[in-house]
Amino acid sequence: MYLSQKDEKVLKGEDGPVLAKAMRLMVTLGELGGAEKLVPIKRSQVAGVSYKTSGDPTLELLEGLVKDKVVAKTKATLNPAGMDLERWMEMGVSPAFAEKQLRICKTYERLGVLPSCTCTPYLSGNKPCFREIVGFSESSAISYVNSVLGARTNRHGGLDALSAALVGRVPLMGYLLDENRRGTLLVKAGFKPESESDYAALGYYVGKSTKTDDVPVYSGLRKGSHDELKLLAAASAASGSIALFHMVGLTPEAKTEAEAFGGKRPSSSLEVTMKEIQSVYRELSSDEKPDLIAIGCPHCSLSEVGRIAKMLAGKRISNRKKFWVFTSPGVFAEAEKRGYIGMIQSSGADVFKHTCMVVAPIEEIGFHSIYTNSAKAAFYTPRMTKSKCQAGLHSLKECVREGASD
Ligand code: F3S
C-alpha cells in the first residue's frame, strides 16, 4: 500500500509510540481490505464509551494513551456513555459506576474527543457533507451518514475509529469507493408504514434477511422522514450489520432505481409485506408490562422531542412507571429553549442526555421490562442485561398510551 513520507515517519515512531500504533492499525486494515493508500479525514465518531460495555480494560488502555500527549487531528465526537454525565444520580446510577464512567469520558476528552456522548453526532455539530470521507464507529450512525447523507465511511470499531482520529487518516477501500456503494438487492415494500416503528420493523426484517455486505435498495416507499430513516438505519445495522442502503426517491444516491443499482439490474429481490412486519413485532415483544418506557434509540432529534412534548401535554405518567427520553446535549439545549423539556418533565417523564436504555445499567437501576419504538433497542436490551430485561417494540403512540394517562 502506498504511504506518503509523512505517514511513513509516523509509522516509524517519529511522532511517538501511540501514533505509530494507531498508524500501524490503519495500515493493517488497509492491507487486509486491499486499499491502495490512506486518505485524510476531518471527522470521526468514536464508540466504546459506556463503562457497562467497555469496563476496566478500556479505561486502562485509554489512560495509557494519554501519557503520550496525543490528540485527535479530526473533529472527533463520542458515542453515548452509560449515564447522563450530570444527572446520573437522578437516573439511579451507582457512584462506583459513575466514577469510572466520568474517568473514561475525561480521558477521551484529553485525547481530543469531545464528550458530546451521542450516537446522532450528525444532528448536533458533527454532520458530514455529501461524498465526504469520515471515520465513524457506531453502527446506526455509520448507516445513517452513508445512506441518508451520502457521506462515506467504513464500519469502524471504537479502537480503529479512535486510531483514525489520532492520525487523521483512513484506508481508501470498501464503502469509500463508488463500486461498493451500488445496490445489490431490491427490497419491494408491499405495505404502507403507519408509524415510525413500522420503519424500524422494516429495517430489522431486511437486516435479518440479507448478507452483511448487501446494499439494500428500498422501492415502493414514497415518503419517510429523516427520523423514520434514522430508526430504519439503526434497526438494519443491529439485525444485519447493514452499513449502507438506498431508498429510491429519498436518499441522495438513489434518485432513480437505475442510479441506485449503478445502471445494472438487481440480482435478487425481497418482498416485505405487512405479514413480515407483524412477525417482527411478535419477535420483539415482551410478556411483561413495562416498568420503563424508553424513547430515543438512536438519540431523539429536536422534532422527535417536540412531538413527544406535545403528546404528553396534559397527561400524567403512571407512578409505577418511568418514561425516559434520550437525546444529545445539543438537541437538549435547543429543546429546553423551546420549552419542550419543561413540557415533558411536567408530565412526570424525564429527558436524559449522553446515554440510552441499551448502554446504561438499566438492570442495576431496577428495570425488568421496557417498551420502546426502536427495533434496535428492543433487540439489544435483553442481550445486554444479565437477567434479560424484556423489551417490546411499539409505536410512539402506543408507548405514550401505555405510560401516561389523562
Ligand atoms: Fe444510540 Fe444507544 Fe441506540 S447508542 S443507536 S441510543 S443503542
Side-chain angles (χ1 to χ4, degrees), residues 3 17 43 52 69 130 177 271 330 360 399:
L3 290 182
R43 296 178 194 282
K52 172 179 165 180
K69 297 200 172 12
F130 182 59
L177 302 170
E271 170 124 26
C399 287

Side-chain angles (χ1 to χ4, degrees), residues 79-80 119 138 140 296-299 356 358 376:
N79 223 39
C119 49
E138 166 47 43
S140 69
C297 170
H299 276 173
C356 75
V358 174
K376 174 172 178 175

Side-chain angles (χ1 to χ4, degrees), residues 116-138:
S116 49
C117 297
T118 179
C119 49
T120 57
Y122 47 84
L123 296 179
S124 46
N126 197 5
K127 180 180 177 184
C129 317
F130 182 59
R131 294 182 76 88
E132 179 179 348
I133 294 179
V134 297
F136 271 35
S137 48
E138 166 47 43

Side-chain angles (χ1 to χ4, degrees), residues 77-91:
T77 42
L78 264 195
N79 223 39
M83 60 188 203
D84 187 310
L85 301 184
E86 290 141 15
R87 296 181 59 225
W88 53 269
M89 270 196 244
E90 287 155 72
M91 288 181 71

